[in-house]
Amino acid sequence: MKSRIRKAVFPVGGLGTRFLPATKAMPKEMLTVVDKPLIHYAVEEAAAAGIEEFIFVTGRGKQAIEDHFDFSFELEDNLKAKGRKDMLDAMRAWLPRPGQVAYTRQQEPLGLGHAVWCARHLVGDEPFAVLLADDMVLSDSPCLKQLVDAQAKVGGNVVAVMDVPRDQVSRYGVIAPGKDDGRLAEVTGIVEKPAPEKAPSTLCVIGRYVLMPEVFDHLAAHRKGAGGEVQLTDALAKMIGHGPFHGLRFEGERFDCGDKLGFLQATLAFALAREDLGAGLESYLRGMFEGRRKPKRPGGAR
Ligand code: G1P
């Protein structure tokens, strides 16, 4: 079996109802933080971790994602005609090479576990990554790279974890940590969206995983779990005791972009971290909070 992590699965079939009306005609993964869609950040992060094959599990109405990662003749011609070689080169630099992207559809929204299972033939018999584009991580070293590096040392499954206030753990997969060196914690249990009082810890999984292909055998059972969905977490629980399994407390700040407040926080944090925008935005915000400028409420906005 190949051991290097070459493939990443991006489950992008979700409806994004929390962002209506923005997501009525546009995939939620195309929501833009500063000037890039969420899915673009996830693909960049995967590429920075050495991923060479990008597997999207899509659904109805997700064509904009395919178009985003495709060649655009009109745009290329237009930029050429305008002499904008710089923009053209910048765009070509991030476009996946021919054959590097694959799409498959999850025909019914049966859950994250089912979405990952839909990619089984494209992944084959090798360890692979899963990235949930809703989760953004601002860090020095890309979050998935941290996982891949850790996995190269310990093998098996490695999932990104962070401490969350106990009253919020029911939004996440939560691990029961075993041997723990403060960075890597052995996973001795994992449960999806437990009630706070029943959670085995407050160490929650965020949307970055490096998984062994055996996970597909467990997902194949299509057993429904929390929320009546086929949960990835439940398949992972079945793998405990059959090989190394760790949670990595990654370095960086995570933003839940599936939530409006989290999305706004990500927008500010990513913009403030940008060389071209950080100083200007910071001075605007300072002005706002020092009372020099009252936040405007545009007429009719709610
Ligand atoms: C999914 C996973 C959950 C994980 C979370 C991270 O939940 O099922 O285990 O903690 O992503 O964002 P969802 O947010 O899709 O409900």
Side-chain angles (χ1 to χ4, degrees):
M1 197 204 296
K2 295 195 178 72
S3 64
R4 204 163 67 76
I5 316 300
R6 305 181 308 128
K7 300 185 180 185
V9 175
F10 302 85
V12 291
L15 286 177
T17 41
R18 279 196 277 172
F19 271 92
L20 283 168
T23 49
K24 180 158 183 280
M26 183 183 78
K28 66 170 173 158
E29 297 78 11
M30 291 301 289
L31 287 170
T32 297
V33 168
V34 187
D35 55 5
K36 286 187 272 191
L38 293 175
I39 189 64
H40 188 122
Y41 286 95
V43 165
E44 266 185 353
E45 183 183 324
I51 298 298
E52 295 163 0
E53 290 184 35
F54 307 87
I55 301 164
F56 294 82
V57 183
T58 70
R60 288 175 67 77
K62 299 284 179 167
Q63 208 196 319
I65 298 176
E66 297 189 31
D67 290 341
H68 183 74
F69 292 106
D70 196 8
F71 212 78
S72 165
F73 291 102
E74 300 92 324
L75 186 56
E76 294 254 334
D77 283 352
N78 198 287
L79 292 176
K80 260 184 232 160
K82 287 195 175 123
R84 294 307 306 264
K85 193 173 171 316
D86 52 336
M87 286 178 103
L88 200 57
D89 290 347
M91 195 174 62
R92 283 184 179 164
W94 59 257
L95 267 186
R97 309 278 165 266
Q100 269 193 312
V101 198
Y103 298 92
T104 186
R105 271 200 188 200
Q106 182 189 24
Q107 287 131 322
E108 287 176 274
L110 299 179
L112 175 61
H114 179 260
V116 171
W117 178 77
C118 288
R120 67 202 178 281
H121 295 303
L122 293 163
V123 171
D125 191 23
E126 57 184 284
F128 64 103
V130 176
L131 294 96
L132 307 184
D134 280 1
D135 280 327
M136 289 186 82
V137 182
L138 186 58
S139 54
D140 291 334
S141 165
C143 184
L144 186 66
K145 171 122 185 24
Q146 298 178 43
L147 256 67
V148 165
D149 289 347
Q151 201 270 350
K153 291 193 189 116
V154 294
N157 290 336
V158 180
V159 298
V161 294
M162 65 178 213
D163 253 310
V164 160
R166 191 165 274 271
D167 62 348
Q168 290 171 26
V169 295
S170 57
R171 298 187 202 160
Y172 299 92
V174 183
I175 69 163
K179 219 167 118 238
D180 188 346
D181 69 6
R183 193 165 169 270
L184 267 179
E186 217 183 307
V187 176
T188 59
I190 186 166
V191 47
E192 181 69 11
K193 301 195 170 69
E197 65 280 7
K198 293 209 174 123
S201 77
T202 53
L203 268 184
C204 293
V205 178
I206 67 129
R208 300 290 183 276
Y209 310 77
V210 173
L211 302 178
M212 301 305 282
E214 287 74 24
V215 71
F216 293 122
D217 302 337
H218 301 289
L219 288 172
H222 291 189
R223 217 167 282 118
K224 288 189 179 152
E229 298 192 340
V230 181
Q231 297 291 353
L232 181 58
T233 301
D234 295 342
L236 296 181
K238 296 251 183 275
M239 296 173 83
I240 293 169
H242 298 284
F245 193 164
H246 293 86
L248 174 75
R249 290 188 187 80
F250 56 96
E251 168 277 313
E253 187 176 2
R254 173 261 187 179
F255 299 91
D256 175 7
C257 293
D259 169 78
K260 282 176 205 169
L261 184 59
F263 180 82
L264 289 171
Q265 289 165 342
T267 303
L268 288 176
F270 276 75
L272 286 168
R274 288 255 303 239
E275 252 173 48
D276 56 342
L277 296 166
L281 180 60
E282 189 179 331
S283 118
Y284 176 79
L285 291 173
R286 280 190 195 285
M288 189 182 265
F289 292 110
E290 283 160 13
R292 280 182 271 133
R293 197 185 301 114
K294 274 253 173 316
K296 266 211 168 81
R297 277 185 186 277
R302 274 173 283 162

